[in-house]
């Protein structure tokens, strides 16, 4: 039997509310299938199941709030159900032949008839089918009903008397649906908890580098001129791709710090900091960034922002970012030094691209630059490697055609 549990959708999540089941008992589930929708303080998240099987039981009901790690449902593993199939019943002819083949034995003695109405220990109580159906419909525990029929049999009258004696269930008022203000307040608490943990547990170090964007922006402008408006790529996508490729080269910035130490990630899944209209932010992941072309990343980014702001994300996007990028350039900020989101070990920030006076080849020029910053976990890396990591991002942005591949 496989247990499907409430996933952790980030270090700031302790519990979630089950909003909807998208499967029912008996349904076949495949890897990656969305099976439920869970409400967190930040979004309504589509929860995927990463195991195959057949739904056996839905343990948690819609509307229940449970802790991370609580079993939501149980699945029967492939092949397990076949083992539980009952042994086929023999036909009357086959049964007679099997009995004739057995050695003759003395006929068993008939069991003694009890002198008292209650059934003997181990003997099944007599319950009429109609009484059993009535007990089920009335919510009466048939095993707790005292039978008054022959040999202690439970009758319909017995069930009706037991139902009448049951105390009425207290009427519970449905919980009030949280308002936008409630959601925002709870989100601030979650963010505060995660960021407090980050500054308390993670020894941050910070680096910054000014990156010239002249070549990248000129190349992107020429590329976009050959495409329709819907097919154009934003400069933010170039930055995401550069960070993803650099993180692939410098594995110590792409992974998690667990109790056992640093755990490098298998892929590069870049978390994107997205501000929400009602306040707060989320940082869901775009998966396998180095392997994707710019057009794919643009589609992924557009889709991710839209779903984040409509509070509709997937559990894999919330639970597995391996490094995060925050970009406050559209807010007019020159530089941003982020706080690492545990258990990640690095966050890259970009400010507003702006024209600045720079000395280039002994001369003074006005060029477009951006401030790139790195906040990293000193337990997993050091400043020397951090400087090389930022230099790699700079180098990639000076050769934008390499990011197209």
């Amino acid at each position: 039997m496989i247990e499907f549990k409430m996933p952790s959708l980030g270090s700031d999540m302790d519990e979630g509310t089950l909003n909807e089941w998208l499967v029912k008992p008996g349904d076949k589930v495949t890897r990656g299938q969305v099976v439920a929708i869970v409400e967190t303080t930040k979004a309504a998240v589509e929860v995927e199941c990463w195991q195959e099987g057949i739904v056996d039981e839905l343990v948690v009901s819609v509307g229940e709030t449970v802790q991370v790690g609580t079993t939501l449902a149980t699945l029967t593993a492939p092949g397990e159900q076949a083992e539980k199939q009952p042994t086929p019943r023999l036909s009357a002819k086959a049964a007679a032949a099997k009995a004739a083949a057995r050695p003759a034995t003395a006929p068993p003695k008939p069991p003694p008839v009890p002198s008292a109405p209650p059934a003997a220990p181990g003997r099944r109580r007599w319950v009429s089918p109609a009484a059993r159906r009535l007990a089920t419909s009335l919510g009466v525990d048939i095993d707790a009903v005292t039978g008054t029929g022959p040999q202690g049999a439970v009758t319909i009258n017995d069930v009706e008397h037991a139902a009448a004696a049951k105390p009425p269930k207290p009427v519970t008022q449905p919980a009030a649906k949280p308002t936008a203000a409630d959601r925002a307040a709870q989100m601030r608490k979650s963010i505060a908890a995660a960021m407090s943990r980050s500054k308390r547990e993670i020894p941050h170090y910070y680096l910054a580098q000014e990156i010239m964007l002249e070549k990248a922006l000129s190349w992107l402008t020429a590329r976009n001129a050959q495409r329709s408006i819907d097919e154009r790529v934003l400069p933010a996508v170039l930055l995401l791709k550069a960070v993803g490729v650099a993180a692939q080269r410098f594995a110590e910035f792409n992974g998690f710090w667990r109790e056992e130490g640093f755990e490098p990630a298998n892929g590069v899944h870049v978390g994107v900091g997205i501000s929400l209209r009602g306040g707060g932010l989320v940082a869901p992941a775009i998966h396998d960034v180095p392997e994707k072309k710019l057009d794919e990343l643009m589609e992924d980014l557009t889709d991710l922002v839209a779903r984040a702001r409509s509070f509709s994300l997937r559990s894999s996007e919330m639970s597995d970012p391996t490094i995060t990028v925050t970009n406050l350039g559209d807010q007019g900020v020159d530089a941003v030094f982020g706080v690492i989101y545990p258990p990640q070990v690095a966050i890259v920030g970009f400010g507003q691209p702006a024209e600045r006076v720079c000395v280039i080849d002994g001369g003074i020029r006005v060029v477009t630059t951006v401030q790139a910053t790195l906040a990293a976990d000193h337990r997993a890396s050091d400043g020397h490697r951090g400087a090389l990591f930022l230099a790699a991002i700079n180098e990639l942005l000076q050769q934008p055609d390499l990011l197209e591949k």
Side-chain angles (χ1 to χ4, degrees), residues 14-354:
D14 296 319
E15 61 183 19
T17 301
L18 180 64
N19 269 7
E20 183 181 355
W21 278 115
L22 303 179
V23 293
K24 61 184 182 300
D27 286 354
K28 184 177 180 181
V29 176
T30 57
R31 285 179 57 84
Q33 179 179 341
V34 177
V35 298
I37 297 178
V38 170
E39 181 83 17
T40 72
T41 58
K42 293 188 174 182
V45 181
E46 297 178 347
V47 179
E48 300 133 309
C49 181
W50 299 103
Q51 296 164 312
E52 293 186 355
I54 297 175
V55 179
D56 181 66
E57 180 185 6
L58 302 179
V59 179
V60 174
S61 302
V62 172
E64 283 191 57
T65 299
V66 295
Q67 296 291 314
V68 170
T70 300
T71 299
L72 299 178
T74 56
L75 308 177
T76 301
E80 184 178 351
Q81 190 177 34
E83 298 173 4
K84 293 185 176 181
Q85 294 295 328
T87 305
R89 298 179 62 183
L90 297 174
S91 65
K93 188 174 181 180
K98 185 174 181 180
R102 291 176 182 164
T105 57
K109 294 181 180 181
V113 178
S115 57
R123 179 175 175 179
R124 182 181 177 186
R125 303 179 66 211
W126 294 100
V127 182
S128 70
R132 191 178 295 278
R133 286 195 298 271
L134 181 62
T136 301
S137 65
L138 296 177
V140 172
D141 182 3
I142 197 68
D143 294 328
V145 177
T146 301
T148 61
Q151 299 186 18
V154 177
T155 65
I156 290 178
N157 287 336
D158 297 330
V159 175
E160 290 175 344
H161 288 142
K166 283 179 61 180
K169 290 184 178 180
V171 178
T172 56
Q173 296 295 332
K177 190 173 182 180
T179 64
D182 294 334
R183 181 192 288 273
Q186 188 59 44
M187 183 181 295
R188 291 311 324 170
K189 290 181 181 179
S190 299
I191 293 172
M195 296 299 95
S196 296
R197 174 191 165 192
S198 175
K199 297 298 284 187
R200 183 174 61 249
E201 298 179 2
I202 300 176
H204 287 62
Y205 70 88
Y206 303 93
L207 301 174
Q209 180 171 355
E210 188 171 39
I211 296 177
M212 294 187 184
L213 290 180
E214 290 288 291
K215 292 182 180 178
L217 294 179
S218 297
W219 177 86
L220 189 60
T221 299
R223 181 188 184 279
N224 285 339
Q226 303 172 7
R227 289 167 167 77
S228 66
I229 294 178
D230 294 339
E231 296 175 330
R232 292 176 183 175
V233 170
L234 295 175
V237 173
L238 281 179
L239 302 179
L240 285 175
K241 182 68 178 285
V243 171
V245 174
Q248 194 175 48
R249 298 177 184 175
F250 294 82
E252 62 265 52
F253 300 98
N254 185 63
F256 314 98
W257 186 269
R258 312 284 192 191
E259 292 182 0
E260 299 80 12
F262 178 67
E263 178 184 310
N266 294 325
V268 180
H269 311 315
V270 179
V272 182
I274 301 173
S275 60
L276 304 179
R277 294 188 179 94
L281 57 88
V282 291
I286 295 178
H287 294 114
D288 303 312
V289 168
E291 284 73 38
K292 291 184 176 178
K293 294 185 178 296
L294 295 179
D295 290 332
E296 293 179 86
L297 287 177
M298 185 66 210
E299 291 177 5
D300 287 350
L301 180 61
T302 302
D303 174 65
L304 197 65
V305 172
R307 287 191 293 107
R309 289 177 175 166
S310 63
F311 300 100
S312 177
L313 293 166
R314 301 188 185 100
S315 57
S316 57
E317 295 166 340
M318 295 294 290
S319 61
D320 63 1
T322 58
I323 185 172
T324 295
V325 171
T326 180
N327 190 338
L328 292 180
D330 59 346
Q331 302 300 316
V333 174
D334 287 336
V336 51
F337 292 86
V339 180
I340 301 169
Y341 191 81
Q344 297 172 42
V345 295
I347 180 171
V348 177
F350 291 102
Q352 179 186 37

